[in-house]
Amino acid sequence: MLKKNFKYLLLVMTMILAVLSCGKSESGGDSTSGKKNIKVGVIYTKAKLGGNSFNDLVFEGVKRAEADFGIKYNNVEPNTAADQENAQETMASSGEYALIIVVGQEQMDALKKTAEKYPDQKFAYIDGILEMPNIASYEAKEQEGSFLVGVLAALSKENKIDPKFNNENKLGFIGGVNSPLINKFYTGYMAGIRYVNPSYVVTADYVGGFNDPSTGKVIASTMNQKGNDVIYHAAGASGTGLFQAAEEKGFIAIGVNSNQNTLAPNNIIATMIKKVDVAAYSAIKDITEGKFSQGKNILGLKEDGVGYTTEGSNIKVPQEIIDEVEKIKQKIVSGELVIPDTPESVDEFLKNNTYSK
């Protein structure tokens, strides 16, 4: 009798274990293979990959997501606006992509039409805001990171840490185009410089595009001839012309987006980091986890979406200056300093905020 009861108990326990085992397999067994089957499309700006700037940083985020989640991706490097629109249409109509990443404000109008036409397709829009139910928009507080490199430039100039700094009160900015987005870079830079020294004058000029190094070089050389010893750019691949001019004329430059310091290490003092790789990675991560961050995703210093680096530069910024920049950074993170995002609002900011060590 005892032997029969033992056999019966053993049978029941085996059945229970089998049921539990099946339940575990159904809930999580295909998660890895599901991620590997996820396909992501990426459509870059017309500046393409290879400029060690904005597009390349997005690609870094995509490659990191590939390594971490096993997704597959397809890159498109368009030559024209028509190419961008065609790529959006081709990817969205295929139904193959769990997510299509669209890069740059130059694609905003095309994306709005594509997203309306394919409401079931999910998009991540990097570098702007489109409030639609199938778009996760990622926008940075470029003015915050630019403020920090402005402070660093002004303090370095005040202390003449390098012989390339002159005795004039002029610093320059080169933008790709004259737009609200690019002027956020200009505004933050100007505000940071004048926060340290209100007598400094910051002038701006615009290339007219993001893939024209020759014009960028001419503008930078002209600015330097007029006394500007530090020039910051937000001009994409056009900014490589600034670096060429800085090396030839012997002045200081500031890079943007991904770390550009090593491109001209004797002349580039720092780079304002715009971490669009974080945006691309986050968007893909959400998709692999079955989530979708529709709406605005704003990335500033607090969210680690922007920053700065002196790594790779041969211009040695003293630690006391770095410490001062970091102290000001914490004031921005805490909300004590709210950095303006339009040139017209800089004077008001300076009225309400004064710098003291």
Side-chain angles (χ1 to χ4, degrees):
M1 184 71 173
L2 182 62
K3 190 174 181 180
K4 285 184 179 179
N5 286 342
F6 178 76
K7 287 183 177 179
Y8 177 74
L9 181 61
L10 185 63
L11 178 61
V12 170
M13 289 176 67
T14 303
M15 292 173 66
I16 290 171
L17 287 171
V19 170
L20 289 174
S21 176
C22 289
K24 184 176 180 181
S25 175
E26 287 174 6
S27 64
D30 65 346
S31 61
T32 302
S33 61
K35 289 178 182 179
K36 288 183 177 178
N37 289 330
I38 287 176
K39 192 173 181 182
V40 175
V42 193
I43 306 169
Y44 297 100
T45 70
K46 295 189 292 290
K48 302 182 182 180
L49 294 168
N52 194 35
S53 191
F54 189 76
N55 288 325
D56 299 271
L57 205 53
V58 172
F59 187 36
E60 286 299 316
V62 174
K63 287 192 293 184
R64 195 160 74 247
E66 178 195 29
D68 288 354
F69 309 123
I71 58 98
K72 298 182 185 298
Y73 64 85
N74 183 25
N75 284 336
V76 174
E77 298 180 61
N79 292 309
T80 66
D83 290 342
Q84 291 171 331
E85 191 166 354
N86 288 339
Q88 290 180 26
E89 169 69 26
T90 300
M91 286 184 174
S93 63
S94 73
E96 297 177 9
Y97 296 90
L99 181 72
I100 300 172
I101 298 175
V102 177
V103 183
Q105 289 207 337
E106 64 190 46
Q107 298 201 65
M108 179 182 283
D109 291 341
L111 177 57
K112 186 176 180 181
K113 290 191 292 185
T114 307
E116 286 175 348
K117 186 175 179 181
Y118 299 97
D120 294 329
Q121 173 65 60
K122 293 180 174 64
F123 297 89
Y125 178 39
I126 295 179
D127 214 26
I129 298 295
L130 269 175
E131 297 192 65
M132 299 175 67
N134 56 337
I135 297 178
S137 295
Y138 294 84
E139 187 175 59
K141 292 182 178 179
E142 294 90 354
Q143 69 274 18
E144 292 186 350
S146 298
F147 187 88
L148 294 184
V149 294
V151 168
L152 185 146
L155 289 174
S156 298
K157 184 175 173 67
E158 291 270 285
N159 291 277
K160 297 289 188 296
I161 69 164
D162 188 278
K164 289 185 278 294
F165 288 103
N166 62 32
N167 293 319
E168 299 196 41
N169 66 343
K170 299 175 181 177
L171 301 93
F173 170 81
I174 299 175
V177 295
N178 189 346
S179 70
L181 170 63
I182 297 303
N183 282 331
K184 286 166 66 179
F185 292 86
Y186 169 46
T187 299
Y189 176 62
M190 173 170 56
I193 289 168
R194 294 184 58 205
Y195 176 68
V196 171
N197 188 334
S199 71
Y200 283 161
V201 177
V202 184
T203 56
D205 202 348
Y206 302 87
V207 177
F210 295 94
N211 201 19
D212 187 358
S214 297
T215 301
K217 183 178 180 180
V218 170
I219 292 173
S221 298
T222 302
M223 278 188 167
N224 179 241
Q225 288 169 6
K226 293 180 178 179
N228 296 276
D229 58 351
V230 185
I231 302 174
Y232 170 45
H233 89 93
S238 300
T240 58
L242 161 65
F243 304 148
Q244 292 165 11
E247 288 183 304
E248 290 179 12
K249 305 293 183 182
F251 63 86
I252 302 289
I254 298 175
V256 76
N257 294 329
S258 60
N259 187 352
Q260 298 184 318
N261 298 337
T262 57
L263 297 181
N266 294 326
N267 296 83
I268 304 175
I269 191 171
T271 295
M272 195 288 276
I273 301 294
K274 182 175 174 181
K275 301 180 181 180
V276 287
D277 58 326
V278 174
Y281 182 89
S282 297
I284 296 171
K285 181 175 184 287
D286 283 351
I287 288 295
T288 64
E289 294 175 349
K291 300 184 293 186
F292 183 65
S293 301
Q294 181 273 334
K296 298 179 184 178
N297 298 276
I298 309 297
L299 306 175
L301 286 172
K302 184 177 181 180
E303 296 79 17
D304 195 32
V306 294
Y308 75 99
T309 183
T310 58
E311 184 180 348
S313 172
N314 292 337
I315 303 170
K316 300 306 177 186
V317 180
Q319 188 58 46
E320 54 265 32
I321 290 179
I322 297 295
D323 291 344
E324 197 64 21
V325 174
E326 288 297 310
K327 187 169 74 175
I328 291 168
K329 175 182 174 180
Q330 291 310 311
K331 289 184 178 182
I332 298 171
V333 170
S334 70
E336 182 180 342
L337 279 180
V338 179
I339 309 306
D341 60 4
T342 62
E344 298 77 21
S345 56
V346 171
D347 286 341
E348 188 65 26
F349 168 81
L350 295 173
K351 283 180 187 177
N352 298 319
N353 298 279
T354 55
Y355 170 69
S356 61
K357 286 189 178 181

